[in-house]
Amino acid sequence: MSITLAQGLGLAIFAVLAGLDSWLEVFYIFRPIISCTIAGLILGDLRLGVIAGGLTELAFAGLTPAGGTQPPNPAVCGIMTVVIAHTTNVAPATAIGLSLPFAMLMQYILLMFYSIFSVFMPVMDKAAKEADTKKFSSVPFLIMGIVSIAFFVVIFLSSYAAQAPMAALVKAMPAWLIHGFELAGGALPAVGFAMLLKVLLRVEYVPYLLLGFVVACFINFSNVLPAAVIGIVFAMIEFFRDKKNKKLQEQIDEMKEAGISGGGEEDGI
Amino acid sequence: MASSTQDTDKKLTKHDITMLGLRSAFLQSAFSYERMQAGGWAWSQVPTWKKIFGSDKKALSEAMQDNMEFINTSPPLVSILMGLLTSLEEKRVDRQTIRGLKNGLFGPMAGIGDAIYWFTLMPIVGGISASFASKGNILGPIIFFIVYIGIFLCRIPFAHLGYNLGVKAIDVIQDNSEIIARVATIMGLTVIGALISSYVSLSLKVKIGTVSLQKDFLDKVFPNILPLAFTFFLYWLLKKKVSPIVLIGVVFVLCILCSFLGIM
């Protein structure tokens, strides 16, 4: 199915909202589960949007900006997954792989912005020196304006204006390539998880990681809640043990001090 | 100095603190690599400072300049820090003290915030709502949206919390920061372990004679061993300082190659 001008504009306007949200990280409507759903709503296929949202959210599960690197933009990936699935009738799982180039493009634009916007900081410094609050606030507004325009243009072009060449591209693709994208959709979360592990994992935490893994392997349940509850159990056990250890440590320190001042050696045990 | 007289003049109302909590949403509005969140951090607090300093342009200018220094902290928790520092600004505490507290606290708060919000809440909320959504259930996105609106609204009580606890809050956080971070990490990693098994999917199509390598061998040894091994392989590569962007590219190419050769 093709996309009308009104739908293209609607998607682009939503892209501005979701894009700004991904810039500010406030309402999290930039996450695929929301951006796919809204894109589906705009295209009149809510069910497709919801399903694609679930699948894309899973694919993005481990990809967080917290590790310091910017992952492919989830807002753009979400919107384009639904657009591609809607216009070319490929399965949502395949569409995720096909939408990744667009999400990478947005990511590169944002990386460029992060560097370029450094030049605005001296302007804010000068305004701060003069206590000129109006000039001071013009910089954040300008920056958010530039970000909005970028998201509008990227989504409008790739969903509406360049829709036909895109569809042709997908049709021209051989089956092995599409299957390859599908595989990538299943394998890419591993990159995200590896990034999380790089930040979080220390040897003492490996048991918990394996525990969660084994639990999810053998408990046939549709979500990770059982593993989360087991995680809470261990977190609580550790929490109370830490507290107790801290108290014991303090007592030991006190006794040591008392022992040193008392000078008695026999109560050292 | 004149601090004893300043002590009694309370210029901010509860409403002002609520507004500060809401405005903390603009923390990343002027993000750049050079100073990260500094511009947005300062900008969200300008209206509060205007109220505190009134016509004292010099004090306002000093506050603005101090807060243009590098800062990078956790967005959902930032209003605690803003509230805390605002209570000190209102009492006209020495500039160096405020600055020192800001610099001492934003880092640990970033760590705690990332552990709680990105590594614990996001996998749990995202995982649960995605498992609904992938079956076409609209409840998935709705749950996700409601939870995150709740997280956003928490910025208001957080701002009040920071403001009210004033200097005391620092003791509480500093006393428990290690335990908080540890416990959050344990929970996060248990969930990540579960997510690796349910989200990463890799299975081989290769057959040796009539024996399918995946169905007759790997699945019998340990299901999902391949995703776990693959994740650890990528983890090892990251430790070897391979960039994540390169890894994404490599995974992409590998998958397409495996598909072409019929391995997977």
Side-chain angles (χ1 to χ4, degrees), chain A residues 23 26 28 58 100 107 111 114 125 128-129 133 137 176 179 181 186 196 204-205 209 212-213 216 222-223 225 238 242 246, chain B residues 25 28 32-33 35 43 50 61 119 128 131 141 148 175 179 182 186 189-190 193-194 197 199 201 224 245 252 259-260 264:
Chain A
W23 184 259
V26 179
Y28 289 77
L58 295 186
L100 266 178
Q107 177 201 352
L111 287 178
Y114 286 150
D125 283 338
K129 215 171 212 169
T133 51
S137 41
W176 59 265
H179 180 61
F181 281 126
L196 281 186
E204 58 189 290
Y205 294 140
L209 181 77
F213 177 75
S222 61
N223 64 47
L225 211 53
E238 286 278 335
D242 277 1
K246 216 172 154 186
Chain B
Q28 305 200 111
S32 73
Y33 274 147
R35 274 180 248 175
W43 182 47
K50 265 175 144 175
S61 163
F119 303 142
I128 291 169
S131 63
Y148 275 91
D175 277 358
I179 298 182
R182 228 178 92 79
I186 287 172
L189 278 171
T190 314
S197 107
Y199 292 176
S201 57
N224 289 332
I245 301 295
F252 227 92
S259 165
F260 183 68
M264 291 201 323

Short mmCIF file of all heavy atoms in Angstrom, two decimals, chain A residues 23 26 28 58 100 107 111 114 125 128-129 133 137 176 179 181 186 196 204-205 209 212-213 216 222-223 225 238 242 246, chain B residues 25 28 32-33 35 43 50 61 119 128 131 141 148 175 179 182 186 189-190 193-194 197 199 201 224 245 252 259-260 264:
data_model
loop_
_atom_site.label_atom_id
_atom_site.label_comp_id
_atom_site.label_asym_id
_atom_site.label_seq_id
_atom_site.Cartn_x
_atom_site.Cartn_y
_atom_site.Cartn_z
N TRP A 23 15.93 13.25 21.90
CA TRP A 23 16.98 14.21 22.23
C TRP A 23 16.99 14.49 23.73
O TRP A 23 18.02 14.51 24.38
CB TRP A 23 16.76 15.49 21.43
CG TRP A 23 17.81 16.53 21.60
CD1 TRP A 23 17.74 17.64 22.39
CD2 TRP A 23 19.10 16.58 20.96
NE1 TRP A 23 18.90 18.37 22.27
CE2 TRP A 23 19.75 17.74 21.41
CE3 TRP A 23 19.76 15.74 20.06
CZ2 TRP A 23 21.03 18.10 20.99
CZ3 TRP A 23 21.03 16.10 19.64
CH2 TRP A 23 21.65 17.27 20.10
N VAL A 26 12.68 12.26 27.77
CA VAL A 26 11.71 12.62 28.80
C VAL A 26 10.54 11.64 28.86
O VAL A 26 10.33 10.97 29.86
CB VAL A 26 11.19 14.05 28.61
CG1 VAL A 26 10.16 14.39 29.67
CG2 VAL A 26 12.34 15.04 28.68
N TYR A 28 9.85 9.11 26.63
CA TYR A 28 10.18 7.81 26.03
C TYR A 28 9.19 7.38 24.95
O TYR A 28 9.01 6.20 24.70
CB TYR A 28 10.32 6.73 27.12
CG TYR A 28 11.59 6.95 27.92
CD1 TYR A 28 11.63 7.94 28.88
CD2 TYR A 28 12.73 6.21 27.67
CE1 TYR A 28 12.80 8.19 29.58
CE2 TYR A 28 13.89 6.46 28.38
CZ TYR A 28 13.92 7.45 29.33
OH TYR A 28 15.07 7.71 30.01
N LEU A 58 12.05 -5.32 21.22
CA LEU A 58 12.94 -6.43 21.61
C LEU A 58 14.30 -6.28 20.95
O LEU A 58 15.33 -6.47 21.58
CB LEU A 58 12.34 -7.77 21.21
CG LEU A 58 11.04 -8.19 21.90
CD1 LEU A 58 10.67 -9.61 21.49
CD2 LEU A 58 11.17 -8.09 23.40
N LEU A 100 16.91 -0.40 9.46
CA LEU A 100 18.15 -0.04 10.16
C LEU A 100 19.01 1.00 9.42
O LEU A 100 19.55 1.90 10.05
CB LEU A 100 18.99 -1.28 10.47
CG LEU A 100 18.74 -1.85 11.87
CD1 LEU A 100 19.58 -3.10 12.09
CD2 LEU A 100 19.09 -0.82 12.95
N GLN A 107 21.33 8.38 13.24
CA GLN A 107 22.35 8.32 14.28
C GLN A 107 23.59 9.14 13.87
O GLN A 107 24.14 9.89 14.68
CB GLN A 107 22.75 6.87 14.52
CG GLN A 107 23.85 6.70 15.54
CD GLN A 107 24.54 5.37 15.39
OE1 GLN A 107 24.09 4.52 14.63
NE2 GLN A 107 25.59 5.18 16.11
N LEU A 111 25.15 12.31 15.79
CA LEU A 111 26.56 12.35 16.22
C LEU A 111 27.24 13.62 15.73
O LEU A 111 27.99 14.27 16.45
CB LEU A 111 27.31 11.13 15.68
CG LEU A 111 26.99 9.79 16.33
CD1 LEU A 111 27.77 8.66 15.66
CD2 LEU A 111 27.29 9.82 17.81
N TYR A 114 26.04 16.50 17.84
CA TYR A 114 26.67 16.54 19.17
C TYR A 114 28.00 17.28 19.10
O TYR A 114 28.38 17.99 20.01
CB TYR A 114 26.92 15.12 19.70
CG TYR A 114 25.68 14.40 20.15
CD1 TYR A 114 25.59 13.02 20.08
CD2 TYR A 114 24.60 15.10 20.68
CE1 TYR A 114 24.46 12.34 20.51
CE2 TYR A 114 23.47 14.43 21.11
CZ TYR A 114 23.40 13.06 21.01
OH TYR A 114 22.29 12.39 21.44
N ASP A 125 28.04 31.03 27.25
CA ASP A 125 28.98 31.57 28.24
C ASP A 125 28.89 33.08 28.30
O ASP A 125 28.84 33.68 29.38
CB ASP A 125 30.42 31.17 27.88
CG ASP A 125 30.72 29.73 28.24
OD1 ASP A 125 30.00 29.18 29.10
OD2 ASP A 125 31.64 29.15 27.65
N ALA A 128 25.76 34.25 29.84
CA ALA A 128 25.80 34.03 31.29
C ALA A 128 26.59 35.14 31.97
O ALA A 128 26.21 35.65 33.02
CB ALA A 128 26.44 32.68 31.60
N LYS A 129 27.68 35.56 31.36
CA LYS A 129 28.51 36.63 31.90
C LYS A 129 27.71 37.92 32.01
O LYS A 129 27.82 38.66 32.99
CB LYS A 129 29.72 36.82 30.99
CG LYS A 129 30.97 37.19 31.75
CD LYS A 129 32.18 37.16 30.83
CE LYS A 129 33.43 36.76 31.56
NZ LYS A 129 34.54 36.46 30.66
N THR A 133 19.40 36.60 30.17
CA THR A 133 18.68 35.32 30.13
C THR A 133 18.00 35.08 28.79
O THR A 133 17.80 33.94 28.40
CB THR A 133 17.63 35.26 31.26
OG1 THR A 133 16.83 36.43 31.20
CG2 THR A 133 18.29 35.17 32.62
N SER A 137 18.65 31.71 26.63
CA SER A 137 17.67 30.67 26.27
C SER A 137 17.51 30.52 24.76
O SER A 137 16.95 29.53 24.31
CB SER A 137 16.31 30.95 26.92
OG SER A 137 16.02 32.31 26.87
N TRP A 176 17.64 -14.58 -0.14
CA TRP A 176 18.70 -14.79 0.87
C TRP A 176 19.06 -13.51 1.58
O TRP A 176 19.39 -13.49 2.75
CB TRP A 176 19.94 -15.45 0.26
CG TRP A 176 20.58 -14.67 -0.87
CD1 TRP A 176 20.36 -14.83 -2.21
CD2 TRP A 176 21.53 -13.60 -0.76
NE1 TRP A 176 21.11 -13.94 -2.94
CE2 TRP A 176 21.83 -13.17 -2.07
CE3 TRP A 176 22.15 -12.97 0.30
CZ2 TRP A 176 22.72 -12.13 -2.35
CZ3 TRP A 176 23.04 -11.92 0.04
CH2 TRP A 176 23.33 -11.52 -1.27
N HIS A 179 16.28 -12.83 4.11
CA HIS A 179 16.47 -13.75 5.23
C HIS A 179 17.66 -13.30 6.08
O HIS A 179 17.63 -13.39 7.31
CB HIS A 179 16.68 -15.18 4.72
CG HIS A 179 16.87 -16.19 5.82
ND1 HIS A 179 15.90 -16.43 6.77
CD2 HIS A 179 17.93 -16.98 6.15
CE1 HIS A 179 16.35 -17.33 7.63
NE2 HIS A 179 17.58 -17.67 7.28
N PHE A 181 18.59 -10.22 6.59
CA PHE A 181 18.10 -9.13 7.44
C PHE A 181 17.34 -9.68 8.64
O PHE A 181 17.44 -9.18 9.75
CB PHE A 181 17.20 -8.18 6.64
CG PHE A 181 17.95 -7.22 5.78
CD1 PHE A 181 17.69 -7.12 4.43
CD2 PHE A 181 18.93 -6.41 6.32
CE1 PHE A 181 18.39 -6.24 3.63
CE2 PHE A 181 19.64 -5.51 5.54
CZ PHE A 181 19.36 -5.44 4.18
N GLY A 186 17.57 -10.97 14.69
CA GLY A 186 17.69 -11.84 15.86
C GLY A 186 19.06 -11.75 16.53
O GLY A 186 19.18 -12.03 17.71
N LEU A 196 25.94 -3.65 27.33
CA LEU A 196 25.49 -3.56 28.73
C LEU A 196 26.47 -4.30 29.64
O LEU A 196 26.86 -3.80 30.69
CB LEU A 196 24.12 -4.19 28.89
CG LEU A 196 22.90 -3.40 28.47
CD1 LEU A 196 21.65 -4.16 28.84
CD2 LEU A 196 22.89 -2.05 29.14
N GLU A 204 32.11 -11.13 40.08
CA GLU A 204 31.21 -11.47 41.17
C GLU A 204 29.74 -11.47 40.76
O GLU A 204 28.90 -12.03 41.44
CB GLU A 204 31.43 -10.48 42.32
CG GLU A 204 31.19 -9.04 41.87
CD GLU A 204 31.60 -8.04 42.94
OE1 GLU A 204 30.93 -7.95 43.96
OE2 GLU A 204 32.60 -7.34 42.72
N TYR A 205 29.43 -10.83 39.62
CA TYR A 205 28.03 -10.76 39.19
C TYR A 205 27.68 -11.85 38.17
O TYR A 205 26.51 -12.03 37.84
CB TYR A 205 27.74 -9.40 38.57
CG TYR A 205 27.82 -8.26 39.55
CD1 TYR A 205 28.39 -7.04 39.18
CD2 TYR A 205 27.30 -8.38 40.84
CE1 TYR A 205 28.47 -5.99 40.08
CE2 TYR A 205 27.38 -7.34 41.73
CZ TYR A 205 27.97 -6.15 41.35
OH TYR A 205 28.04 -5.10 42.24
N LEU A 209 23.91 -13.35 36.22
CA LEU A 209 23.66 -13.35 34.79
C LEU A 209 23.28 -14.76 34.33
O LEU A 209 22.28 -14.96 33.63
CB LEU A 209 24.92 -12.88 34.05
CG LEU A 209 24.80 -12.81 32.53
CD1 LEU A 209 24.02 -11.58 32.12
CD2 LEU A 209 26.16 -12.80 31.86
N GLY A 212 19.77 -15.83 35.60
CA GLY A 212 18.68 -15.27 34.78
C GLY A 212 18.57 -15.99 33.46
O GLY A 212 17.47 -16.32 32.99
N PHE A 213 19.71 -16.30 32.85
CA PHE A 213 19.73 -16.99 31.57
C PHE A 213 19.08 -18.37 31.68
O PHE A 213 18.20 -18.72 30.90
CB PHE A 213 21.18 -17.11 31.08
CG PHE A 213 21.33 -17.87 29.80
CD1 PHE A 213 20.98 -17.29 28.59
CD2 PHE A 213 21.82 -19.16 29.80
CE1 PHE A 213 21.11 -17.98 27.41
CE2 PHE A 213 21.96 -19.86 28.62
CZ PHE A 213 21.60 -19.27 27.42
N ALA A 216 15.27 -18.27 32.28
CA ALA A 216 14.49 -17.96 31.08
C ALA A 216 14.54 -19.09 30.07
O ALA A 216 13.61 -19.28 29.29
CB ALA A 216 14.98 -16.66 30.47
N SER A 222 5.90 -16.22 28.71
CA SER A 222 6.02 -15.29 27.59
C SER A 222 6.84 -14.05 27.90
O SER A 222 7.23 -13.32 27.01
CB SER A 222 4.64 -14.88 27.10
OG SER A 222 3.95 -14.23 28.15
N ASN A 223 7.11 -13.74 29.17
CA ASN A 223 7.96 -12.59 29.43
C ASN A 223 8.98 -12.88 30.51
O ASN A 223 9.05 -13.99 31.05
CB ASN A 223 7.12 -11.36 29.76
CG ASN A 223 6.33 -11.53 31.04
OD1 ASN A 223 6.87 -11.97 32.04
ND2 ASN A 223 5.06 -11.20 31.00
N LEU A 225 9.31 -11.71 33.49
CA LEU A 225 8.93 -11.38 34.86
C LEU A 225 9.43 -12.39 35.90
O LEU A 225 9.92 -11.98 36.96
CB LEU A 225 7.41 -11.21 34.96
CG LEU A 225 6.95 -10.20 36.01
CD1 LEU A 225 7.64 -8.87 35.83
CD2 LEU A 225 5.44 -10.02 35.96
N GLU A 238 21.01 -9.78 49.08
CA GLU A 238 22.29 -9.09 49.09
C GLU A 238 22.19 -7.78 49.85
O GLU A 238 23.10 -7.39 50.58
CB GLU A 238 22.74 -8.80 47.65
CG GLU A 238 23.23 -10.04 46.93
CD GLU A 238 24.68 -10.37 47.27
OE1 GLU A 238 25.42 -9.44 47.65
OE2 GLU A 238 25.05 -11.54 47.16
N ASP A 242 24.47 -6.98 52.91
CA ASP A 242 25.38 -5.83 52.88
C ASP A 242 25.21 -4.97 54.12
O ASP A 242 26.17 -4.54 54.74
CB ASP A 242 25.11 -4.98 51.64
CG ASP A 242 25.83 -5.52 50.42
OD1 ASP A 242 26.50 -6.56 50.58
OD2 ASP A 242 25.71 -4.93 49.34
N LYS A 246 27.94 -4.38 56.98
CA LYS A 246 28.41 -3.04 57.29
C LYS A 246 28.38 -2.83 58.80
O LYS A 246 29.31 -2.29 59.40
CB LYS A 246 27.50 -2.02 56.60
CG LYS A 246 28.25 -0.80 56.09
CD LYS A 246 27.32 0.05 55.25
CE LYS A 246 27.73 1.48 55.24
NZ LYS A 246 26.72 2.29 54.54
N ALA B 25 13.02 18.65 32.56
CA ALA B 25 12.88 17.91 31.31
C ALA B 25 13.82 18.46 30.23
O ALA B 25 14.17 17.75 29.30
CB ALA B 25 11.44 17.98 30.82
N GLN B 28 18.68 18.06 28.58
CA GLN B 28 19.54 17.76 27.43
C GLN B 28 19.23 18.65 26.23
O GLN B 28 19.59 18.32 25.11
CB GLN B 28 19.40 16.28 27.05
CG GLN B 28 19.69 15.37 28.23
CD GLN B 28 20.03 13.96 27.82
OE1 GLN B 28 21.15 13.53 27.97
NE2 GLN B 28 19.05 13.24 27.30
N SER B 32 25.84 18.86 23.87
CA SER B 32 26.94 18.79 22.92
C SER B 32 28.04 17.97 23.57
O SER B 32 28.07 17.81 24.79
CB SER B 32 27.47 20.19 22.60
OG SER B 32 28.19 20.69 23.70
N TYR B 33 28.94 17.42 22.74
CA TYR B 33 29.98 16.58 23.29
C TYR B 33 30.88 17.35 24.26
O TYR B 33 31.41 16.79 25.20
CB TYR B 33 30.84 15.98 22.18
CG TYR B 33 30.26 14.71 21.62
CD1 TYR B 33 30.41 14.36 20.30
CD2 TYR B 33 29.55 13.85 22.46
CE1 TYR B 33 29.88 13.20 19.80
CE2 TYR B 33 29.01 12.69 21.96
CZ TYR B 33 29.18 12.37 20.64
OH TYR B 33 28.65 11.21 20.15
N ARG B 35 30.42 19.89 26.53
CA ARG B 35 30.05 20.03 27.94
C ARG B 35 28.81 19.22 28.29
O ARG B 35 28.17 19.45 29.32
CB ARG B 35 29.83 21.50 28.26
CG ARG B 35 31.14 22.15 28.61
CD ARG B 35 30.93 23.58 28.92
NE ARG B 35 31.55 24.39 27.89
CZ ARG B 35 31.45 25.71 27.86
NH1 ARG B 35 30.72 26.33 28.76
NH2 ARG B 35 32.06 26.38 26.92
N TRP B 43 19.98 26.23 31.82
CA TRP B 43 18.78 26.89 31.29
C TRP B 43 17.53 26.52 32.10
O TRP B 43 16.70 27.39 32.40
CB TRP B 43 18.59 26.51 29.82
CG TRP B 43 17.42 27.18 29.18
CD1 TRP B 43 17.10 28.51 29.26
CD2 TRP B 43 16.41 26.58 28.37
NE1 TRP B 43 15.98 28.76 28.55
CE2 TRP B 43 15.52 27.60 27.99
CE3 TRP B 43 16.18 25.27 27.92
CZ2 TRP B 43 14.41 27.36 27.19
CZ3 TRP B 43 15.08 25.04 27.11
CH2 TRP B 43 14.21 26.05 26.76
N LYS B 50 16.39 33.54 38.87
CA LYS B 50 15.87 34.90 38.71
C LYS B 50 15.06 35.28 39.92
O LYS B 50 15.12 36.39 40.43
CB LYS B 50 14.99 34.98 37.46
CG LYS B 50 15.70 35.47 36.22
CD LYS B 50 14.75 35.37 35.06
CE LYS B 50 14.89 36.47 34.06
NZ LYS B 50 13.99 36.20 32.91
N SER B 61 24.47 36.23 37.31
CA SER B 61 25.51 35.95 36.33
C SER B 61 26.48 34.89 36.86
O SER B 61 26.89 33.98 36.12
CB SER B 61 26.26 37.23 35.99
OG SER B 61 27.48 36.93 35.37
N PHE B 119 19.15 -0.04 32.95
CA PHE B 119 19.54 -1.46 33.03
C PHE B 119 18.55 -2.29 33.83
O PHE B 119 18.64 -3.50 33.83
CB PHE B 119 20.93 -1.57 33.65
CG PHE B 119 21.97 -0.80 32.89
CD1 PHE B 119 22.98 -0.12 33.53
CD2 PHE B 119 21.92 -0.75 31.50
CE1 PHE B 119 23.92 0.61 32.82
CE2 PHE B 119 22.85 -0.03 30.79
CZ PHE B 119 23.86 0.65 31.44
N ILE B 128 8.34 -6.76 29.17
CA ILE B 128 6.97 -7.19 29.44
C ILE B 128 6.01 -6.59 28.42
O ILE B 128 5.19 -7.31 27.82
CB ILE B 128 6.56 -6.79 30.87
CG1 ILE B 128 7.35 -7.61 31.89
CG2 ILE B 128 5.06 -6.99 31.07
CD1 ILE B 128 7.22 -7.13 33.31
N SER B 131 6.41 -8.16 25.04
CA SER B 131 5.87 -9.51 24.88
C SER B 131 4.35 -9.47 24.66
O SER B 131 3.81 -10.31 23.96
CB SER B 131 6.25 -10.39 26.08
OG SER B 131 5.68 -9.89 27.26
N PRO B 141 1.94 -1.30 24.36
CA PRO B 141 2.32 0.12 24.33
C PRO B 141 1.65 0.95 25.43
O PRO B 141 2.27 1.88 25.94
CB PRO B 141 1.88 0.60 22.95
CG PRO B 141 1.28 -0.55 22.26
CD PRO B 141 1.48 -1.78 23.06
N TYR B 148 6.08 5.20 31.83
CA TYR B 148 7.04 6.27 31.61
C TYR B 148 6.47 7.65 31.91
O TYR B 148 7.22 8.57 32.27
CB TYR B 148 7.66 6.17 30.21
CG TYR B 148 8.83 5.22 30.27
CD1 TYR B 148 8.67 3.85 30.03
CD2 TYR B 148 10.07 5.66 30.71
CE1 TYR B 148 9.73 2.97 30.17
CE2 TYR B 148 11.13 4.79 30.85
CZ TYR B 148 10.96 3.45 30.58
OH TYR B 148 12.01 2.59 30.74
N ASP B 175 25.96 7.58 52.02
CA ASP B 175 26.05 6.42 52.91
C ASP B 175 25.66 5.13 52.19
O ASP B 175 26.21 4.08 52.45
CB ASP B 175 25.13 6.61 54.13
CG ASP B 175 25.80 7.46 55.18
OD1 ASP B 175 26.96 7.84 54.95
OD2 ASP B 175 25.17 7.74 56.22
N ILE B 179 25.72 0.34 48.16
CA ILE B 179 24.73 -0.73 48.27
C ILE B 179 23.66 -0.56 47.19
O ILE B 179 23.28 -1.53 46.53
CB ILE B 179 24.09 -0.74 49.68
CG1 ILE B 179 25.16 -1.02 50.73
CG2 ILE B 179 22.99 -1.80 49.76
CD1 ILE B 179 24.65 -1.10 52.15
N ARG B 182 25.03 -1.63 43.85
CA ARG B 182 25.27 -3.07 43.81
C ARG B 182 23.97 -3.86 43.61
O ARG B 182 23.86 -4.73 42.74
CB ARG B 182 25.91 -3.50 45.13
CG ARG B 182 27.12 -4.38 44.98
CD ARG B 182 27.69 -4.69 46.35
NE ARG B 182 27.11 -5.92 46.87
CZ ARG B 182 27.51 -7.12 46.47
NH1 ARG B 182 28.45 -7.24 45.58
NH2 ARG B 182 26.97 -8.20 46.98
N ILE B 186 22.75 -6.26 40.47
CA ILE B 186 22.39 -7.68 40.59
C ILE B 186 21.06 -7.94 39.91
O ILE B 186 20.92 -8.86 39.10
CB ILE B 186 22.33 -8.09 42.08
CG1 ILE B 186 23.76 -8.17 42.63
CG2 ILE B 186 21.60 -9.41 42.25
CD1 ILE B 186 23.82 -8.38 44.12
N LEU B 189 21.40 -7.56 36.08
CA LEU B 189 22.10 -8.64 35.38
C LEU B 189 21.26 -9.92 35.32
O LEU B 189 21.32 -10.64 34.33
CB LEU B 189 23.44 -8.93 36.05
CG LEU B 189 24.54 -7.95 35.60
CD1 LEU B 189 25.77 -8.11 36.44
CD2 LEU B 189 24.87 -8.16 34.13
N THR B 190 20.48 -10.19 36.35
CA THR B 190 19.60 -11.36 36.29
C THR B 190 18.63 -11.22 35.12
O THR B 190 18.41 -12.15 34.34
CB THR B 190 18.81 -11.51 37.61
OG1 THR B 190 19.70 -11.34 38.70
CG2 THR B 190 18.15 -12.87 37.70
N GLY B 193 20.42 -11.59 31.78
CA GLY B 193 20.62 -13.00 31.48
C GLY B 193 19.39 -13.62 30.85
O GLY B 193 19.46 -14.34 29.85
N ALA B 194 18.22 -13.30 31.43
CA ALA B 194 16.96 -13.83 30.90
C ALA B 194 16.70 -13.27 29.51
O ALA B 194 16.25 -13.99 28.61
CB ALA B 194 15.82 -13.47 31.84
N SER B 197 18.56 -14.98 26.63
CA SER B 197 17.99 -16.24 26.16
C SER B 197 16.70 -16.01 25.37
O SER B 197 16.39 -16.75 24.45
CB SER B 197 17.77 -17.19 27.33
OG SER B 197 16.41 -17.30 27.64
N TYR B 199 15.70 -12.97 23.73
CA TYR B 199 15.72 -12.01 22.62
C TYR B 199 16.72 -12.35 21.52
O TYR B 199 16.49 -12.07 20.35
CB TYR B 199 16.04 -10.61 23.13
CG TYR B 199 14.96 -10.00 23.98
CD1 TYR B 199 15.15 -8.76 24.59
CD2 TYR B 199 13.75 -10.64 24.19
CE1 TYR B 199 14.17 -8.19 25.37
CE2 TYR B 199 12.77 -10.09 24.97
CZ TYR B 199 12.99 -8.86 25.57
OH TYR B 199 12.03 -8.30 26.35
N SER B 201 18.27 -14.57 18.98
CA SER B 201 17.94 -15.86 18.40
C SER B 201 18.90 -16.20 17.27
O SER B 201 19.06 -15.44 16.32
CB SER B 201 16.49 -15.87 17.91
OG SER B 201 16.28 -14.84 16.99
N ASN B 224 19.65 -22.61 23.54
CA ASN B 224 20.08 -21.21 23.60
C ASN B 224 21.55 -21.03 23.96
O ASN B 224 21.96 -19.94 24.34
CB ASN B 224 19.25 -20.41 24.61
CG ASN B 224 17.84 -20.18 24.11
OD1 ASN B 224 17.63 -20.13 22.91
ND2 ASN B 224 16.90 -20.07 25.01
N ILE B 245 29.89 0.23 16.79
CA ILE B 245 29.43 0.46 15.42
C ILE B 245 30.03 -0.59 14.48
O ILE B 245 29.35 -1.13 13.61
CB ILE B 245 29.84 1.88 14.95
CG1 ILE B 245 29.24 2.95 15.89
CG2 ILE B 245 29.44 2.13 13.52
CD1 ILE B 245 27.75 3.02 15.85
N PHE B 252 25.82 -7.64 10.94
CA PHE B 252 24.99 -7.50 9.75
C PHE B 252 25.56 -8.31 8.59
O PHE B 252 24.88 -9.14 7.98
CB PHE B 252 24.95 -6.01 9.37
CG PHE B 252 23.59 -5.52 9.09
CD1 PHE B 252 22.82 -4.97 10.10
CD2 PHE B 252 23.06 -5.62 7.82
CE1 PHE B 252 21.55 -4.52 9.84
CE2 PHE B 252 21.78 -5.17 7.56
CZ PHE B 252 21.02 -4.62 8.56
N SER B 259 23.20 -16.38 5.64
CA SER B 259 21.95 -16.63 4.90
C SER B 259 22.28 -17.06 3.47
O SER B 259 21.70 -18.00 2.93
CB SER B 259 21.11 -15.37 4.91
OG SER B 259 20.10 -15.46 3.95
N PHE B 260 23.25 -16.37 2.86
CA PHE B 260 23.63 -16.66 1.48
C PHE B 260 24.19 -18.08 1.36
O PHE B 260 23.87 -18.82 0.43
CB PHE B 260 24.68 -15.64 1.02
CG PHE B 260 25.08 -15.80 -0.42
CD1 PHE B 260 24.18 -15.53 -1.45
CD2 PHE B 260 26.36 -16.23 -0.75
CE1 PHE B 260 24.55 -15.68 -2.76
CE2 PHE B 260 26.73 -16.39 -2.07
CZ PHE B 260 25.83 -16.11 -3.08
N MET B 264 22.64 -20.54 8.25
CA MET B 264 21.63 -20.25 9.26
C MET B 264 20.27 -19.97 8.64
O MET B 264 20.15 -19.69 7.49
CB MET B 264 22.07 -19.03 10.10
CG MET B 264 23.24 -19.36 10.96
SD MET B 264 23.51 -18.31 12.37
CE MET B 264 23.10 -16.70 11.94
#
